[in-house]
Amino acid sequence: MATGSKNKAPHSLAQYSSLPTPNPNHNIKRGSRDSTKIYEPTFPEQDACTPAGLKRAQQHQKMAIDWNTLAKEFHDILGIRPPDDLAFRKRVEAVLSRLSACNAVPTDERRTRLLALVNRKFDINAQAINKLLAIAAAKKISFNYHEKSRIAAAFDQSEKPSFTLVLQLKNAVDDDLVSAFRPASVEVTLKKLHSELVSPTLIRKDSRPRDWSQEIRRSLFGGFVFSVFRQQDMHELFDKDIHLEARYEPDFWKHLHKSRREMFSRAKTLVYLECDGSIEINKIAPSLQKEFFELANHGYFALHLKNAHGREWRTAALATLFAEKFLEKRLENGYFRWREIESTTRSYIPALADADTAFDRANLGYHYKDTFVLGDDARGGILLLFQKNTSDETLIPCPSCRSHDVQGNSYSSLGVKSWECMNPICPDRSKFDRGKRYSFYQLLRQQAIDNTNAMISISSVRAWSRDVQSVKPSDAIIEMLVRHYTLPGDGVLQIGGDVTQSLGRDITCEQLSKYLNGLNELGENALSKFSRSPFFGRFAIARPTPGAGKGAVESRTFGNTELLLGDCFDVLSEMPEAIFDGAVTSPPYYNAREYAQWQNIYCYLYDMFNIARQVFRTLKPGATYLFNIFDYFDNENTIAYSAMGDKRMILSAYCVELFERAGFKCEGNIVWDKGEIEGKRAFNNGNFSPYYQAPFNCWEHILIFKKPGGEISFARPLPRVLRQKPVMKIVQGVNCHGHTAPFPDQVPELLLERLPENSVVLDPFAGSMTTGRVAARLGRRAVCIEKDRAYFELGFSMLRNSAAQIPLFHLAAQ
Ligand SMILES: C[S@@+](CC[C@H](N)C(=O)[O-])C[C@H]1O[C@@H](n2cnc3c(N)ncnc32)[C@H](O)[C@@H]1O
């Protein structure tokens, strides 16, 4: 049964511009629908111009709109009373007293709007919509974000013509789809509402015990009051900026453009810098610094290091570290609990006592996003992406009701200021009456969706859905960057590289050498100041070696492999210098596993630095150390502990810096391409627009470090890419391997196969002793250190079992 009114205006394309826009982050799960446009179901402004519209306008001019009228109507339609909340009532009455009855929409329309509001807030049509989308998908019909929004609105308003118009415009009119249009009947809507009032479906955030029914009634009644009047009247009532414009601007983004000009400087939204990978980091650092201050907020810096000679990886790592941390700032925000950070770090690192640490200053900069690997031969290169996010405190009115009664909300991520609307009559309050949350960045992303000229082709999105690519010419890379990370009309600075097409953007090209020469002076200062900064004083500190007898808790020898139980720092401290011909390992990734928990990244880095120093000491000059690590997502816990501090970790970049401080030379990196990996990162929910595209992170680093001063010959050079699936350890939900993070045999093979026989190889974080097993198979000697007793035992038994399967393995266990 329909909830629509009888007096509908004819449908037109223009009408769609006022339809709701669900949160682009959700597919059709619309619980937290996030619109930057007002939910204005079926009463377009043009209606007043039609004879029927005029008639209706005359009719309701006579009506007095006060609390009691609306309360009665609300009760008649939904069978529930408005909230018993005096303060709320006063706010509503104050609003009503400022609005004349002639601006109200007719009563039947009010009913439609109210029922649609209930449907939307409680996501009542979600199942039916998903069913329809599934039928469409089976017929190979897919809807983009805009079409899905219109379909959702048509369901909530029970407006079949709006739905069929979507199909018509797509040339996809189909009987099965038309008959799958089954919006909730009024009975279903009311039943759901009443059951929610008695026992609400809670989401975790809402689970504090409180008066749900009151909150639901307040949210619905507030939204109802808003929808009783024309959108323009409500906006003009709430928006203090309205005087800045000669005419009312229905589009919030355009309105914001006029009233918040300073936020809209799009003169530089992307910087692309292309250079040879052998470039020294002191040449790159100043450009990162200079452009950070010139880029529009949320803009991107793309660094393309061409030609693979290995050295590009060192530059990439140091540039990443500099980019993320170069800006030293005293933060006033309450989320920056530096005293707590200082005290946990100091209690973990007693040696910090006299170091210059300046914990009261935060280290900020770009957000590291991705590194695309461009091919596996010498012509390949890498492309790094950094995004600027700096907190802008400029007040942004609520995009739904345009009220300035908003307050700063917790940041969605560092540098992205978000707001919460406090207007009780805002139509976009949650079902439990929480104010709408939004940020400038979210609005920018929404704008990117709304701008049909910004649409990216499916082929471009697909072509760049992995972060391991084939060799790509510069123009293809720039085209991707421009399409995926800017909007039409934006300014782009291209430094180096060939001339490319503009794609409707304003591209300024600069010659690389000329540009870099202009930055020379800044360069030396920027980098040396950073490397001497207190930031490193918080973790790059030598740890005293333990007293004698603190080494291995237990040791076992099996064939040519020695297994040592203990902390590798302690165990290695007791070993003589220069005894190993090479090392290969995969360390515990900071806070990624149960065996890898640190209070903050400083504590982790302190451990990694000191273990690296011990590995360095025990390796022979000329020895190679292969270090497998992944830049996954977590929280460094050095600025904010909440989810806003979650980000892509730059573990590999930190390791390059620290290993060089320990004495190693970074000679390059082997890209371990893990193939098609699972994950959601590249899912764009049908939004083929800028700022929604991110690749799957398909590869891990195997960094190549060398201890200088000698030569240990390799049978053949190391490859640039290792294509290998990860170890299959979970089968039907059960870990059948035993270790949670083993690497495949092919990782230690990279080293062991290339070293001469009788070489001795170290794995300081041995886990299930994969290195030991590979060494045994290849007739090499290995020393494996593992801290965890259970993994030590597991490694031992796996070694024994695998030895039994190798006929040539004739050295018995001792
Ligand atoms: C990523 S796993 C290594 C997995 C191994 N490559 C394999 O194939 O099974 C890291 C291992 O380091 C161990 N570990 C962590 N800290 C350690 C330390 N200080 N000394 C020795 N082992 C440590 C953990 O218990 C874990 O088993």
Side-chain angles (χ1 to χ4, degrees):
M1 201 184 119
T3 54
S5 71
K6 288 175 221 131
N7 299 319
K8 294 279 158 61
H11 294 277
S12 68
L13 266 182
Q15 186 181 350
Y16 281 144
S17 65
S18 63
L19 287 175
T21 48
N23 183 346
N25 289 324
H26 294 74
N27 197 2
I28 212 69
K29 166 94 193 68
R30 301 167 308 139
S32 54
R33 204 189 297 198
D34 167 30
S35 60
T36 55
K37 290 183 177 164
I38 292 301
Y39 195 70
E40 186 77 354
T42 52
F43 193 66
E45 308 299 312
Q46 301 95 302
D47 186 59
C49 308
T50 65
L54 277 176
K55 194 167 152 218
R56 279 201 297 269
Q58 282 156 7
Q59 270 172 13
H60 60 258
Q61 266 181 17
K62 294 169 204 140
M63 289 184 264
I65 305 283
D66 59 13
W67 172 276
N68 287 335
T69 314
L70 294 183
K72 180 171 181 317
E73 230 173 281
F74 187 74
H75 182 265
D76 289 349
I77 300 167
L78 300 183
I80 56 173
R81 283 179 294 108
D84 315 303
D85 180 335
L86 203 58
F88 174 78
R89 179 171 177 158
K90 281 195 174 145
R91 294 280 299 263
V92 170
E93 285 181 335
V95 167
L96 293 176
S97 70
R98 292 171 62 196
L99 290 156
S100 70
C102 66
N103 292 333
V105 300
T107 43
D108 55 355
E109 181 60 29
R110 307 207 292 242
R111 177 176 182 277
T112 304
R113 291 184 180 196
L114 180 55
L115 289 167
L117 195 71
V118 178
N119 285 335
R120 181 162 64 99
K121 292 210 182 201
F122 290 95
D123 230 355
I124 291 173
N125 286 303
Q127 254 187 349
I129 296 173
N130 282 335
K131 206 165 155 193
L132 182 135
L133 295 180
I135 296 172
K139 289 172 181 276
K140 304 232 174 319
I141 301 172
S142 61
F143 297 100
N144 64 25
Y145 163 78
H146 298 278
E147 291 157 347
K148 280 183 191 163
S149 307
R150 288 166 197 158
I151 291 172
F155 265 84
D156 289 346
Q157 297 154 35
S158 204
E159 275 258 15
K160 195 161 189 170
S162 303
F163 170 67
T164 42
L165 189 57
V166 176
L167 299 184
Q168 277 162 13
L169 291 172
K170 208 178 166 62
N171 275 337
V173 179
D174 175 285
D175 287 348
D176 293 336
L177 290 183
V178 173
S179 52
F181 181 77
R182 298 213 176 144
S185 65
V186 176
E187 288 75 15
V188 168
T189 301
L190 294 180
K191 201 167 158 208
K192 171 78 178 162
L193 169 63
H194 284 265
S195 100
E196 287 283 333
L197 283 164
V198 180
S199 57
T201 334
L202 301 177
I203 50 168
R204 203 169 49 82
K205 279 190 206 146
D206 278 309
S207 55
R208 289 171 286 127
R210 52 189 204 272
D211 187 351
W212 319 107
S213 140
Q214 181 82 334
E215 289 178 359
I216 293 172
R217 287 183 291 144
R218 213 166 30 220
S219 164
L220 286 176
F221 196 75
F224 177 52
V225 173
F226 193 97
S227 68
V228 160
F229 298 94
R230 293 190 322 153
Q231 180 177 289
Q232 175 174 348
D233 295 323
M234 295 310 268
H235 284 168
E236 286 177 347
L237 182 74
F238 291 124
D239 194 349
K240 291 191 186 124
D241 292 329
I242 220 83
H243 65 278
L244 298 174
E245 287 167 31
R247 282 186 50 214
Y248 167 70
E249 173 53 69
D251 183 306
F252 180 68
W253 183 254
K254 287 190 191 149
H255 168 63
L256 203 60
H257 231 289
K258 292 182 197 156
S259 59
R260 299 283 181 281
R261 273 178 209 289
E262 66 285 1
M263 298 186 88
F264 285 87
S265 164
R266 306 286 296 168
K268 215 184 248 187
T269 54
L270 169 70
V271 175
Y272 170 80
L273 193 151
E274 178 182 311
C275 55
D276 192 88
S278 60
I279 194 161
E280 284 303 326
I281 176 63
N282 57 357
K283 297 260 183 241
I284 302 286
S287 57
L288 282 161
Q289 188 183 40
K290 172 179 181 278
E291 301 304 345
F292 183 83
F293 296 109
E294 295 187 6
L295 263 175
N297 206 5
H298 313 302
Y300 277 79
F301 190 112
L303 176 61
H304 179 189
L305 298 172
K306 283 197 343 184
N307 303 323
H309 8 53
R311 290 171 67 192
E312 71 278 18
W313 289 105
R314 176 180 189 268
T315 309
L318 300 182
T320 301
L321 186 56
F322 180 83
E324 273 220 351
K325 307 289 174 192
F326 76 95
L327 202 56
E328 211 176 79
K329 234 179 162 180
R330 272 204 169 79
L331 287 183
E332 303 301 331
N333 310 56
Y335 60 72
F336 180 46
R337 302 207 296 270
W338 66 266
R339 285 196 177 81
E340 199 175 322
I341 296 159
E342 171 161 19
S343 118
T344 39
T345 313
R346 282 191 185 282
S347 56
Y348 195 80
I349 314 177
L352 276 191
D354 306 320
D356 175 17
T357 48
F359 276 98
D360 58 337
R361 275 170 271 157
N363 283 80
L364 305 168
Y366 298 85
H367 289 194
Y368 166 66
K369 289 285 171 182
D370 287 295
T371 300
F372 287 91
V373 176
L374 305 166
D376 34 2
D377 64 34
R379 294 166 303 139
I382 48 181
L383 175 70
L384 287 97
L385 280 184
F386 304 108
Q387 186 178 26
K388 169 179 172 175
N389 289 316
T390 51
S391 172
D392 187 338
E393 303 288 325
T394 312
L395 184 145
I396 302 175
C398 171
S400 296
C401 64
R402 300 207 186 171
S403 169
H404 289 227
D405 183 7
V406 300
Q407 68 178 27
N409 186 34
S410 63
Y411 292 54
S412 44
S413 65
L414 265 182
V416 179
K417 171 86 184 173
S418 102
W419 299 94
E420 179 172 346
C421 174
M422 305 307 287
N423 179 7
I425 300 145
C426 175
D428 261 338
R429 298 185 73 79
S430 78
K431 62 184 171 187
F432 295 122
D433 204 36
R434 293 218 333 239
K436 178 181 174 64
R437 287 159 192 222
Y438 56 95
S439 66
F440 181 76
Y441 185 42
Q442 201 185 356
L443 294 170
L444 176 69
R445 281 158 54 98
Q446 180 66 45
Q447 176 58 20
I449 289 181
D450 286 345
N451 185 342
T452 42
N453 294 330
M455 288 275 278
I456 308 166
S457 69
I458 295 181
S459 59
S460 173
V461 170
R462 292 220 173 115
W464 288 91
S465 69
R466 296 183 84 240
D467 58 359
V468 183
Q469 294 280 319
S470 53
V471 176
K472 291 268 191 299
S474 298
D475 56 350
I477 295 168
I478 299 170
E479 178 173 346
M480 177 279 284
L481 291 169
V482 167
R483 287 195 191 282
H484 292 214
Y485 300 101
T486 71
L487 296 173
D490 280 354
V492 174
L493 172 63
Q494 180 190 336
I495 307 154
D498 308 329
V499 175
T500 44
Q501 43 173 333
S502 78
L503 303 163
R505 276 68 167 180
D506 182 8
I507 300 185
T508 307
C509 293
E510 283 210 33
Q511 230 189 8
L512 178 69
S513 51
K514 206 168 145 205
Y515 174 85
L516 293 180
N517 283 342
L519 297 176
N520 256 349
E521 236 172 70
L522 186 62
E524 296 303 326
N525 293 339
L527 200 68
S528 61
K529 195 170 155 227
F530 177 59
S531 15
R532 284 182 282 104
S533 73
F535 175 67
F536 294 103
R538 298 171 198 157
F539 53 89
I541 300 278
R543 173 174 162 188
T545 45
K550 288 269 166 53
V553 176
E554 189 178 329
S555 79
R556 286 184 206 169
T557 308
F558 192 87
N560 281 335
T561 304
E562 194 178 355
L563 285 73
L564 301 168
L565 174 65
D567 183 309
C568 58
F569 176 79
D570 299 342
V571 176
L572 289 170
S573 304
E574 293 212 328
M575 290 187 179
E577 264 182 42
I579 50 170
F580 298 116
D581 298 286
V584 56
T585 203
S586 170
Y589 300 172
Y590 164 77
N591 293 6
R593 307 273 171 193
E594 76 294 346
Y595 58 73
Q597 295 298 318
W598 283 263
Q599 300 239 38
N600 63 39
I601 192 85
Y602 300 142
C603 303
Y604 171 79
L605 295 175
Y606 169 70
D607 283 350
M608 291 303 121
F609 174 56
N610 282 288
I611 292 167
R613 291 177 70 233
Q614 287 302 333
V615 174
F616 182 82
R617 196 181 60 76
T618 51
L619 281 177
K620 293 179 184 167
T624 295
Y625 185 12
L626 296 187
F627 195 76
N628 163 221
I629 196 158
F630 181 47
D631 294 328
Y632 76 112
F633 293 80
D634 209 312
N635 189 338
E636 293 195 340
N637 292 332
T638 53
I639 307 252
Y641 291 109
S642 66
M644 83 186 248
D646 291 358
K647 65 178 203 56
R648 188 128 192 233
M649 306 297 284
I650 52 167
L651 296 184
S652 63
Y654 279 126
C655 287
V656 170
E657 169 76 32
L658 289 176
F659 280 44
E660 292 211 338
R661 283 180 185 240
F664 285 105
K665 201 164 166 276
C666 177
E667 298 230 311
N669 175 51
I670 302 164
V671 171
W672 170 19
D673 179 355
K674 297 182 286 181
E676 291 305 326
I677 54 148
E678 289 174 14
K680 289 191 177 159
R681 191 149 184 269
F683 293 170
N684 61 12
N685 283 331
N687 298 313
F688 289 87
S689 33
Y691 302 114
Y692 277 93
Q693 316 310 325
F696 286 118
N697 297 133
C698 302
W699 66 275
E700 296 197 8
H701 288 87
I702 305 175
L703 291 163
I704 309 167
F705 294 105
K706 197 158 197 168
K707 176 167 175 172
E711 205 49 61
I712 293 183
S713 63
F714 267 17
R716 55 184 184 283
L718 288 162
R720 182 167 144 83
V721 177
L722 168 70
R723 294 218 152 74
Q724 179 60 46
K725 286 204 170 312
V727 177
M728 258 273 287
K729 44 183 204 280
I730 310 291
V731 178
Q732 292 179 338
V734 177
N735 187 334
C736 59
H737 180 279
H739 198 283
T740 52
F743 53 29
D745 287 10
Q746 287 74 8
V747 173
E749 270 172 14
L750 286 166
L751 180 74
L752 288 156
E753 280 184 348
R754 284 169 176 78
L755 281 176
E757 275 184 38
N758 278 328
S759 303
V760 190
V761 166
L762 166 73
D763 186 341
F765 303 103
S768 61
M769 317 278 165
T770 311
T771 302
R773 288 195 302 282
V774 172
R777 176 161 51 78
L778 297 175
R780 308 292 194 269
R781 292 159 62 199
V783 172
C784 297
I785 311 173
E786 170 57 47
K787 187 163 99 171
D788 184 282
R789 161 74 69 183
Y791 286 149
F792 177 77
E793 297 294 349
L794 171 77
F796 183 69
S797 74
M798 287 180 82
L799 191 61
R800 210 170 32 194
N801 293 344
S802 73
Q805 290 159 22
I806 306 170
L808 290 178
F809 195 99
H810 32 243
L811 289 162
Q814 295 169 14

